[in-house]
Amino acid sequence: MARGKTSGKPARQLLFSEALRQQKHPPQRTPYPRTNMTDDMQGVSMDRILQEISAVCCKLEGMDNAMVVLTAETRSMRLEIAGFQSQISGLDHRVTTVETQVAYWTDRDQELLHLRSKLTDLEDRSCRNNIRLLRFPKGIEGADILSYLRDTLPKLTDTTFDPPLEFQRVHRLGPKRQDGKGRPRPIIPCMLRHGHARQLLQTARMQGPLRLGTLEI
């Protein structure tokens, strides 16, 4: 029994040593030998790869050309946009100027309307004291028409005026007639006081037609 144990122990050690050696230095595999079919397939694959690379290069060249054209168009569009911006800036300046002028003339229109209103009011006020004297013969007033009316109107209306009648201006209406024919031109006196004008008109309405001699005034 002791002999058997002694003889088996070296054999196990040898097997264990061989296993360690194989783990540290695994046996080299023999490569498969190349065949003609494998070479043909590799040649076909390389040709296809080269063709695809060539196609990709052509596409890249086309993209480069397209990028050059796109860059030129973009530069042209930038120039056009810059021109449009300049035109818009000029138009904006002109519109601002026109708006300023419109605002100015709008204010002037309002001022003009106000002045017209005031002028109309002044004309109405200035004409408020006017009366028309009809059928006074031509030349009856003589050289001083103011004195004539100051003396004649109180007698004509049989009215006493206090204070006495005063006139701002007196004139005959219309151009002079050279032939002396036709109806005599009306006399337009502008009374200094509105109360005198109203009193004369009321008296004329109450008394009816006024008579100066044989004339109906």
Side-chain angles (χ1 to χ4, degrees):
M1 294 295 294
R3 187 181 300 174
K5 293 180 180 179
T6 303
S7 59
K9 186 176 181 180
R12 288 195 298 270
Q13 290 179 352
L14 290 175
L15 290 174
F16 183 72
S17 300
E18 183 66 19
L20 289 176
R21 188 184 65 80
Q22 290 181 359
Q23 288 181 359
K24 292 181 180 179
H25 303 284
Q28 299 292 329
R29 294 182 179 180
T30 303
Y32 293 102
R34 294 183 177 181
T35 61
N36 293 332
M37 184 178 293
T38 304
D39 294 339
D40 293 340
M41 291 177 65
Q42 290 181 352
V44 171
S45 299
M46 290 298 297
D47 292 340
R48 184 176 298 173
I49 290 172
L50 291 176
Q51 290 177 359
E52 291 180 355
I53 292 174
S54 178
V56 170
C57 290
C58 292
K59 290 181 179 180
L60 290 175
E61 289 180 359
M63 292 176 65
D64 289 338
N65 295 331
M67 288 297 295
V68 171
V69 174
L70 183 60
T71 302
E73 292 179 352
T74 303
R75 187 178 295 112
S76 176
M77 291 176 65
R78 287 180 178 176
L79 294 176
E80 291 180 358
I81 291 173
F84 291 151
Q85 289 178 346
S86 178
Q87 293 179 3
I88 291 173
S89 178
L91 290 174
D92 185 40
H93 177 70
R94 293 176 62 183
V95 168
T96 302
T97 303
V98 170
E99 289 178 347
T100 303
Q101 293 179 354
V102 168
Y104 172 80
W105 287 114
T106 300
D107 294 340
R108 291 298 173 269
D109 288 342
Q110 295 295 330
E111 184 178 357
L112 181 59
L113 291 175
H114 179 65
L115 292 175
R116 285 180 177 176
S117 177
K118 292 182 65 175
L119 179 61
T120 302
D121 182 67
L122 289 174
E123 288 178 348
D124 293 342
R125 290 178 181 272
S126 64
C127 295
R128 189 178 301 172
N129 296 341
N130 289 357
I131 60 175
R132 297 179 66 189
L133 304 176
L134 304 177
R135 300 180 183 176
F136 275 90
K138 178 183 178 181
I140 192 174
E141 67 275 12
D144 189 359
I145 189 172
L146 291 175
S147 299
Y148 175 77
L149 291 180
R150 190 181 298 115
D151 297 336
T152 303
L153 290 179
K155 297 176 182 178
L156 185 64
T157 58
D158 193 17
T159 305
T160 301
F161 294 94
D162 186 22
L165 290 178
E166 293 184 84
F167 306 95
Q168 291 184 355
R169 57 187 178 274
V170 180
H171 64 278
R172 290 258 186 188
L173 184 63
K176 294 182 179 180
R177 297 185 178 90
Q178 300 298 330
D179 54 2
K181 297 180 180 180
R183 292 183 299 177
R185 294 180 296 153
I187 298 176
I188 308 294
C190 180
M191 314 299 294
L192 181 63
R193 297 174 179 84
H194 179 66
H196 287 170
R198 187 173 63 249
Q199 186 177 356
L200 282 171
L201 294 175
Q202 289 177 352
T203 302
R205 293 191 186 99
M206 292 173 60
Q207 296 182 5
L210 304 178
R211 292 191 175 274
L212 182 63
T214 58
L215 299 176
E216 186 180 291
I217 305 300

